[in-house]
Amino acid sequence: MFPTLLNIREALMNIRLDWNNSMSVGSDELDAQHKELFEIANSLPETIDERLLRTAILKLFKYTRIHFQEEEDHMRRMGYDKVAEHSQIHNQLIDRLSAISTSPLDT
């Protein structure tokens, strides 16, 4: 069983994602996207209203899907030989986010 959105928010209350230059992948575009993902994720614990929480989770889900596609395209252009393996990790994360974004708020 997947955790509920409210359980996710409670779990995130003590976690903050802070960007630093050691996380850079060497692409200004991808680094900017990673920073945006951090900002969206960091906004979740601040969201009190359940509808706003669901909206924030959906925003994270949608932005993550876009980012992962662009990141995989970038890897292909750069000739990265482990795109398939990295794509599998992305797909697993998308599946988890999809389940969370459609889970009941309080059950």
Side-chain angles (χ1 to χ4, degrees):
M1 173 106 185
F2 288 102
T4 68
L5 290 178
L6 296 178
N7 291 342
I8 297 294
R9 181 179 60 203
E10 288 173 12
L12 290 173
M13 301 266 313
N14 296 319
I15 298 173
R16 175 152 180 85
L17 302 173
D18 293 313
W19 176 265
N20 66 60
N21 288 333
S22 72
M23 298 173 179
S24 174
V25 295
S27 163
D28 291 341
E29 180 181 353
L30 293 178
D31 287 345
Q33 290 178 6
H34 288 145
K35 291 174 188 177
E36 178 68 16
L37 286 168
F38 279 33
E39 286 182 35
I40 295 168
N42 286 335
S43 75
L44 296 178
E46 299 167 3
T47 306
I48 303 299
D49 180 90
E50 292 175 5
R51 287 189 180 121
L52 292 177
L53 176 61
R54 184 170 299 283
T55 299
I57 291 280
L58 287 171
K59 180 179 179 181
L60 178 62
F61 173 69
K62 289 177 183 178
Y63 194 86
T64 300
R65 287 180 57 158
I66 291 167
H67 166 69
F68 282 173
Q69 185 59 55
E70 290 183 12
E71 187 175 76
E72 291 168 19
D73 290 346
H74 178 79
M75 289 177 183
R76 285 183 193 90
R77 285 191 306 273
M78 300 301 293
Y80 183 61
D81 63 347
K82 297 190 184 209
V83 176
E85 293 92 337
H86 201 87
S87 180
Q88 287 179 335
I89 294 167
H90 283 172
N91 290 337
Q92 291 169 357
L93 290 169
I94 289 295
D95 288 346
R96 290 180 72 191
L97 276 174
S98 179
I100 291 168
S101 68
T102 58
S103 71
L105 289 173
D106 58 1
T107 60

